[in-house]
Amino acid sequence: NKLITVPTVFISDGSAISFAETCLDMIKYYNLGTIIGQSTAGSNGNVNGFWIYYKYYCIFTGMKVVKNDGELITKDGITPDIVVPVTKEGIKMSKDERLFYAIDYLKQLNK
């Protein structure tokens, strides 16, 4: 019995951080859809920080956060089911290659 009954995709990349990674981990673990794009940032958990010479503030993840399968999120982030790289040509043309791939993927599933 599936919770989501229509083909569903989630687009991700390195800008997905913290709570977004928690959500994507649940999506992957419970097979709620297909994650397309690139790995997340791999930075989840409480933030700690300190000042250096009262001028620079250094922050870092101060908490061990694991995925549902027990692996560290900080190791690899959440790896997509389908990796879609960003290319120089796509950037030059202002083309969101992950979005277009996801649209094509859904069209193929609905044939």
Side-chain angles (χ1 to χ4, degrees), residues 1-103:
N1 192 356
K2 288 188 85 175
L3 183 63
I4 299 174
T5 58
V6 296
T8 307
V9 297
F10 299 87
I11 301 171
S12 179
D13 65 9
S15 65
I17 188 169
S18 195
F19 183 64
E21 292 179 297
T22 299
C23 292
L24 288 168
D25 181 41
M26 288 187 278
I27 289 162
K28 190 167 199 158
Y29 186 77
Y30 292 107
N31 197 25
L32 300 176
T34 303
I35 302 172
I36 293 174
Q38 298 169 332
S39 293
T40 63
S43 183
N44 196 351
N46 295 342
V47 176
N48 291 330
F50 59 91
W51 285 96
I52 302 172
Y53 302 116
Y54 301 102
K55 188 173 182 180
Y56 303 103
Y57 193 65
C58 178
I59 59 173
F60 59 94
T61 301
M63 180 178 169
K64 177 182 176 183
V65 179
V66 294
K67 303 176 201 174
N68 281 296
D69 64 6
E71 288 289 319
L72 283 173
I73 284 183
T74 53
K75 182 179 173 208
D76 297 318
I78 306 302
T79 306
D81 301 308
I82 301 171
V83 176
V84 179
V86 175
T87 65
K88 288 180 184 179
E89 294 77 24
I91 293 170
K92 285 179 186 176
M93 296 173 55
S94 297
K95 181 180 176 186
D96 189 337
E97 294 163 301
R98 292 163 295 191
L99 175 62
F100 287 119
Y101 186 96
I103 292 168

